[in-house]
Amino acid sequence: DAGVTQSPTHLIKTRGQQVTLRCSPKSGHDTVSWYQQALGQGPQFIFQYYEEEERQRGNFPDRFSGHQFPNYSSELNVNALLLGDSALYLCASSLGWNMNTEAFFGQGTRLTVV
Amino acid sequence: KNEVEQSPQNLTAQEGEFITINCSYSVGISALHWLQQHPGGGIVSLFMLSSGKKKHGRLIATINIQEKHSSLHITASHPRDSAVYICAVKTGNQFYFGTGTSLTVIP
């Protein structure tokens, strides 16, 4: 079992560009959540997908959007990148929405905006 | 005020020492996770707790639901335990994270 996999591992983008990050959940998991972790901070919740729909969203602007595919994998898109979007983006997967099940985290994608 | 507070923020210990990291939270939770994050980013889930105590190898995690407090203990610490330890609480479908405790174990 590969666990949660994220791609790419590192990415450098220019301010104003758009970026897409990808996440494959742990086998059998159907719920994917995305988090942004700024340097020296704890992760902050961006949004969560279940059954191909965004079910819950944190305090992030509409520049942050996502998608979940029928195979439960997910993408995080960020438009009009700002320098402040530089962070580690973490994906977590779990089984079931609104269920108290354990979450598994990916290695993250390190995004640097220059 | 953050929903999750951890202490200490930074901790340096000699190899072999007993280590305790504390977590207090202010929201109602369905579960509490202790996570380990090594340099480079990847997060590993160490424990998921909703009550009582769990032990895995040299790691012990406890939670007191009434006091809204959890502790992570590391016995006989080793340099490979050096990492950031993060407390995360699950409320509804969302996690709230502490800012982490950076642990360095010196040989």
Side-chain angles (χ1 to χ4, degrees):
Chain A
D1 181 3
V4 180
T5 58
Q6 291 186 242
S7 64
T9 54
H10 295 84
L11 198 54
I12 299 175
K13 287 286 189 178
T14 303
R15 189 171 47 183
Q17 283 188 314
Q18 178 265 344
V19 68
T20 297
L21 310 181
R22 295 176 176 82
C23 173
S24 293
K26 180 178 169 62
S27 178
H29 284 184
D30 55 9
T31 303
V32 174
S33 303
W34 287 92
Y35 298 86
Q36 180 195 65
Q37 186 178 24
L39 198 62
Q41 302 293 318
Q44 298 290 318
F45 175 70
I46 303 175
F47 44 52
Q48 182 180 70
Y49 276 84
Y50 172 72
E51 291 188 339
E52 301 179 52
E53 288 186 15
E54 183 184 295
R55 297 291 178 147
Q56 194 164 350
R57 189 178 183 93
N59 189 25
F60 279 80
D62 292 344
R63 298 187 297 109
F64 290 77
S65 63
H67 189 78
Q68 186 179 34
F69 298 94
N71 67 353
Y72 308 125
S73 67
S74 176
E75 289 181 349
L76 163 66
N77 301 293
V78 187
N79 294 322
L81 284 166
L82 303 174
L83 296 179
D85 295 331
S86 296
L88 179 70
Y89 289 84
L90 293 162
C91 167
S93 75
S94 58
L95 176 62
W97 186 69
N98 207 28
M99 290 172 62
N100 193 21
T101 57
E102 189 169 7
F104 290 78
F105 289 82
Q107 292 289 310
T109 294
R110 174 77 60 188
L111 172 65
T112 302
V113 182
V114 298
Chain B
K1 187 180 184 301
N2 292 332
E3 291 83 2
V4 182
E5 299 280 354
Q6 282 185 241
S7 63
Q9 279 190 301
N10 296 284
L11 184 56
T12 301
Q14 289 293 131
E15 182 173 357
E17 283 188 7
F18 180 84
I19 289 162
T20 295
I21 300 170
N22 295 300
C23 174
S24 296
Y25 54 92
S26 58
V27 294
I29 68 169
S30 56
L32 181 145
H33 290 244
W34 280 103
L35 310 170
Q36 182 190 56
Q37 186 172 34
H38 281 281
I43 285 182
V44 174
S45 179
L46 300 174
F47 294 104
M48 183 179 86
L49 293 164
S50 53
S51 65
K53 175 180 174 178
K54 286 190 176 180
K55 183 176 188 294
H56 186 257
R58 295 180 295 106
L59 302 178
I60 302 167
T62 63
I63 187 169
N64 185 318
I65 298 294
Q66 287 73 29
E67 295 185 3
K68 295 188 174 180
H69 180 269
S70 176
S71 294
L72 175 68
H73 305 286
I74 304 175
T75 62
S77 60
H78 189 277
R80 65 174 173 267
D81 297 327
S82 298
V84 175
Y85 292 84
I86 301 172
C87 172
V89 299
K90 190 174 185 186
T91 177
N93 292 293
Q94 184 173 336
F95 278 104
Y96 292 96
F97 296 82
T99 54
T101 295
S102 180
L103 171 65
T104 302
V105 181
I106 300 171

